Amino acid sequence: MKIILSTLNAKYIHTNLAIRYLKAAALPEFDCELAEYTIKDPAFNIVSDLFQKKPDVVGFSCYIWNINETIAVIRMLKTVLPNVKIVLGGPEVSYDVHEWVRKHEEIDFIIMGEGEVSFKEMLRHFNGEIPLDKVPGICYLEEGKLKIHAQPPKIDLREIASPFRFEEDLPHLGKRIQYIETSRGCPFSCQFCLSSIEVGVRYFNREKIKEDIRYLMNNGAKTIKFVDRTFNISRSYAMEMFQFLIDEHQPGVVFQFEITADIMRPEVIQFLNDNAPKGLFRFEIGVQSTNDLTNDLVKRRQNFEKLTRTVTMVKEGGKIDQHLDLIAGLPEEDYASFRKTFNDVFAMRPEELQLGFLKLLRGTGLRLEAEKYGYTYVDISPYEIFSNNVLTFDDIVRIKHAEDVLEKYWNAHRMDNTIEYLVTKVFETPFDFFQSFGTYWETKGWSRIGHQLEDLFRRLLEFLQTVNHADLEVITSLMKYDFLQGQQFQPRKLWWDDRLSEDEMKDVYARIKENPSLVGEEFEAMQITERELFKHSLIIPFHIDLGNYEVGVPQKKTGYLFTYFRNGQQPYFSTFN
């Protein structure tokens, strides 16, 4: 019996942990082949590849990001392989199972929830070892009638087989994100999240997890992401794992965690600030909303004061990048309230701020209460909302405009000095800048065309030329400074037009050759030759004194910016008259 475990990942760099757990669980009796694709791959190509493998059984792992593409694949696959057994599993098909099997006749079986036991028993049934009624946790149609089998008892995760020891994965470990879980379940009951459905938290064997991490690192893995819903729910467990990762990490490896920030104690953060190498850890923190009523309605317990303390303390430590999440469209959070939520969170200056939009996922409490809050939403994956009783579709569209430029201009960190000045000195609040610029971006049609780095600077400047009371001399100087900070070599083309005349350039260079200390004692100590000076430096008009520069509070002073480019290092900067 030829068995294929497949999925369509969002990107090539992703790996699917679920099908690897199923493969490990099926061994040694059944040896399943893994076949991963992406949602960008043409369905015909996927079907062609699967067809050539001549499978008897194909299982697909289904999520909101791949279900539509997966359905297209299985329809085609059943056409060319009418006798193949199609088995679906995953969070997207574990709920409303009656709808899935009735609407899509190509689906033979759905495995609901945790699948390791059910999948292996189903393979035993296909192999003629047990009757179908002995297979737990499945749904299917029999003579037009829906059949649902009770789920098996929860697996003892301490005894589960490792999903990481497959030879076919070895060539890819360093090229893709490796996902690992040390627990299943979530202690919280957030009504927009599927994790709220599973009661309680179960842990894997700690020593086995450590061995898996050692194996991944020893075989080239560079990015390892923990998928635990709340990695730090047990302080002692989190501390043990943090210590292990600090002690045994290898150069270039990064670990990412989802943490609940308001339960992380200061002594834990201090331990990380004192002991973790810079860049080893990355935290993802779901804030979602700072509106107390909204959090109560979705049963989300959160102490924003303690969350702020954690995020601030981590940021001040300078060791760990933080990714904070927001959700627009939660109950009773209107446009003004979301604006406040955004500004509350942006005030902490996270390295990344993800602005997401509520999706009414199948099986969640909020989807069941959609009518109560007046939700209208797309009834196909990913089930994103159009509006609710306090947020119009126009509001949603405006917030989406903010999201677009937030990603390009803040999360990409292409011009941090400029953005800091704009959100503190030019616009009333950070949200007002991102939303206003985002709407301008949309009206110009820029969201429908590509862009190079220089375009991002030009487009921001074009927008700022429409803003009253914006000191464009200061702003363009900050933009030039940001642009040049990202260069190791003198750029071949500059996005700005104001340049020194040839005579002025000769005069300035003559002054620097005669007196190198004009641009700083540090530069004088470099003892740069005349040839190197002309080849690797740039002098431009400038309106800020970098000698007294504080981020967000530039001192205006007209003169020159001298930049000396150093391969492999940040450029050397100096301002002078």
Side-chain angles (χ1 to χ4, degrees):
M1 182 169 58
K2 182 67 174 290
I3 308 153
I4 303 292
L5 284 167
S6 185
T7 195
L8 280 63
N9 294 319
K11 298 179 180 178
Y12 168 78
I13 61 169
H14 296 168
T15 50
N16 185 280
L17 187 57
I19 60 175
R20 286 167 171 79
Y21 272 118
L22 296 183
K23 177 179 172 69
L27 290 171
E29 294 88 344
F30 304 99
D31 188 8
C32 306
E33 180 179 339
L34 301 177
E36 288 179 280
Y37 308 95
T38 77
I39 56 175
K40 297 295 185 183
D41 292 332
F44 191 93
N45 293 2
I46 296 173
V47 171
S48 298
D49 189 61
L50 290 172
F51 174 81
Q52 293 175 76
K53 296 178 186 295
K54 302 299 180 186
D56 300 295
V57 180
V58 182
F60 289 94
S61 186
C62 302
Y63 306 85
I64 59 170
W65 65 78
N66 73 6
I67 186 62
N68 297 326
E69 292 82 359
T70 301
I71 293 297
V73 166
I74 66 173
R75 283 176 173 166
M76 295 170 65
L77 191 60
K78 270 289 192 179
T79 301
V80 296
L81 288 174
N83 296 321
V84 72
K85 296 295 184 184
I86 300 292
V87 183
L88 302 190
E92 175 55 16
V93 294
S94 287
Y95 309 94
D96 298 339
V97 288
H98 59 285
E99 183 176 330
W100 288 112
V101 295
R102 291 190 186 281
K103 186 183 293 185
H104 304 288
E105 62 183 15
E106 301 84 3
I107 301 172
D108 292 299
F109 298 95
I110 290 177
I111 293 178
M112 303 173 291
E114 203 167 49
E116 286 88 350
V117 171
S118 298
F119 183 69
K120 186 165 189 176
E121 293 301 286
M122 174 158 283
L123 295 181
R124 292 183 64 207
H125 164 68
F126 291 151
N127 207 38
E129 299 176 28
I130 60 173
L132 183 59
D133 60 11
K134 296 298 182 182
V135 180
I138 63 171
C139 170
Y140 57 97
L141 286 179
E142 185 177 84
E143 297 180 352
K145 294 183 178 180
L146 184 70
K147 297 287 186 178
I148 297 179
H149 294 187
Q151 293 189 344
K154 294 294 184 183
I155 301 168
D156 184 348
L157 299 179
R158 296 168 298 180
E159 303 300 326
I160 199 166
S162 170
F164 301 109
R165 307 305 174 101
F166 305 127
E167 189 173 342
E168 62 263 43
D169 281 335
L170 285 173
H172 310 291
L173 292 183
K175 302 173 185 176
R176 297 178 174 178
I177 298 171
Q178 303 303 317
Y179 298 91
I180 192 166
E181 58 180 349
T182 68
S183 65
R184 289 184 185 174
C186 182
F188 302 109
S189 304
C190 306
Q191 295 299 289
F192 52 81
C193 179
L194 283 173
S195 298
S196 64
I197 297 171
E198 183 176 349
V199 178
V201 179
R202 295 171 292 145
Y203 285 92
F204 288 73
N205 180 287
R206 298 185 187 190
E207 296 309 312
K208 287 183 178 179
I209 290 294
K210 292 175 184 177
E211 284 301 315
D212 282 338
I213 293 171
R214 290 187 185 105
Y215 175 86
L216 290 172
M217 291 192 296
N218 289 337
N219 286 283
K222 295 301 181 185
T223 302
I224 300 175
K225 182 174 181 179
F226 290 78
V227 297
D228 304 59
R229 293 307 180 201
T230 303
F231 181 79
N232 62 317
I233 190 64
S234 166
R235 182 165 49 126
S236 63
Y237 178 73
M239 283 293 290
E240 179 181 335
M241 291 302 296
F242 285 143
Q243 184 71 69
F244 163 75
L245 298 173
I246 290 170
D247 289 343
E248 300 200 22
H249 78 278
Q250 297 183 14
V253 178
V254 177
F255 297 97
Q256 183 169 326
F257 313 87
E258 292 186 34
I259 69 161
T260 299
D262 58 346
I263 66 171
M264 183 168 271
R265 297 185 63 83
E267 56 265 30
V268 176
I269 305 168
Q270 192 60 54
F271 167 79
L272 295 174
N273 287 346
D274 292 341
N275 295 284
K278 181 177 174 58
L280 178 62
F281 297 145
R282 175 180 170 86
F283 287 166
E284 183 172 343
I285 300 168
V287 183
Q288 321 311 8
S289 174
T290 63
N291 184 312
D292 290 337
L293 173 59
T294 294
N295 284 328
D296 286 343
L297 291 173
V298 297
K299 299 181 181 178
R300 180 174 180 79
R301 300 193 306 273
Q302 179 169 265
N303 185 319
F304 187 65
E305 182 179 346
K306 289 184 178 179
L307 183 150
T308 302
R309 178 191 67 189
T310 293
V311 172
T312 302
M313 193 172 174
V314 170
K315 188 173 183 65
E316 289 173 349
K319 299 288 191 68
I320 301 169
D321 282 353
Q322 298 176 98
H323 171 117
L324 272 57
D325 294 325
L326 300 179
I327 298 178
L330 292 172
E332 302 305 324
E333 176 129 89
D334 60 14
Y335 184 84
S337 172
F338 185 78
R339 175 178 180 263
K340 180 180 182 302
T341 282
F342 183 98
N343 290 325
D344 288 343
V345 176
F346 193 84
M348 294 182 276
R349 301 299 190 267
E351 283 73 24
E352 287 188 19
L353 177 56
Q354 181 172 321
L355 200 170
F357 295 83
L358 180 65
K359 298 171 178 62
L360 295 183
L361 305 179
R362 294 176 184 271
T364 59
L366 211 48
R367 181 169 174 131
L368 296 175
E369 292 193 305
E371 188 175 342
K372 175 181 177 181
Y373 298 110
Y375 280 111
T376 59
Y377 62 97
V378 186
D379 199 25
I380 57 172
S381 176
Y383 314 113
E384 194 167 301
I385 68 163
F386 291 124
S387 63
N388 62 23
N389 59 344
V390 297
L391 199 68
T392 67
F393 185 57
D394 182 62
D395 294 332
I396 292 283
V397 169
R398 291 165 67 200
I399 295 171
K400 281 185 175 290
H401 294 164
E403 180 215 11
D404 190 22
V405 295
L406 175 74
E407 193 65 33
K408 291 181 175 70
Y409 284 84
W410 177 256
N411 291 343
H413 293 285
R414 292 184 172 105
M415 49 186 91
D416 288 353
N417 294 286
T418 306
I419 302 304
E420 185 64 34
Y421 177 75
L422 292 174
V423 301
T424 55
K425 301 299 180 183
V426 179
F427 289 83
E428 183 178 349
T429 74
F431 182 79
D432 296 326
F433 162 68
F434 289 109
Q435 196 275 302
S436 300
F437 183 28
T439 297
Y440 184 85
W441 184 284
E442 182 64 27
T443 59
K444 299 295 288 188
W446 292 335
S447 61
R448 293 178 288 279
I449 59 177
H451 57 265
Q452 295 181 329
L453 178 62
E454 294 83 2
D455 297 325
L456 295 176
F457 286 85
R458 292 192 189 99
R459 290 169 185 173
L460 176 59
L461 182 59
E462 180 180 325
F463 163 66
L464 293 170
Q465 288 168 342
T466 70
V467 176
N468 294 329
H469 313 300
D471 189 330
L472 291 180
E473 287 187 333
V474 169
I475 294 169
T476 53
S477 293
L478 285 170
M479 292 172 70
K480 294 172 186 176
Y481 181 49
D482 280 326
F483 177 76
L484 295 173
Q485 276 191 317
Q487 312 294 323
Q488 289 190 13
F489 304 98
Q490 184 167 181
R492 294 183 177 180
K493 60 179 180 178
L494 303 175
W495 56 265
W496 59 88
D497 297 324
D498 56 321
R499 315 285 170 85
L500 298 183
S501 68
E502 187 174 340
D503 288 341
E504 192 175 6
M505 186 75 74
K506 289 180 180 178
D507 176 65
V508 173
Y509 269 118
R511 291 168 56 198
I512 294 173
K513 283 191 295 179
E514 182 180 343
N515 180 20
S517 66
L518 179 66
V519 291
E521 294 179 359
E522 182 183 344
F523 179 76
E524 184 179 26
M526 294 181 196
Q527 297 185 330
I528 301 300
T529 66
E530 182 176 336
R531 182 177 180 276
E532 290 173 326
L533 174 64
F534 282 108
K535 184 177 181 181
H536 299 300
S537 66
L538 176 68
I539 301 171
I540 60 174
F542 208 61
H543 301 280
I544 295 171
D545 182 5
L546 287 183
N548 296 312
Y549 176 64
E550 294 180 30
V551 176
V553 192
Q555 300 297 314
K556 188 170 183 179
K557 185 178 180 181
T558 297
Y560 304 106
L561 174 67
F562 173 82
T563 308
Y564 186 76
F565 298 94
R566 302 176 288 186
N567 185 17
Q569 301 180 61
Q570 277 243 319
Y572 171 83
F573 293 103
S574 177
T575 49
F576 65 101
N577 296 324

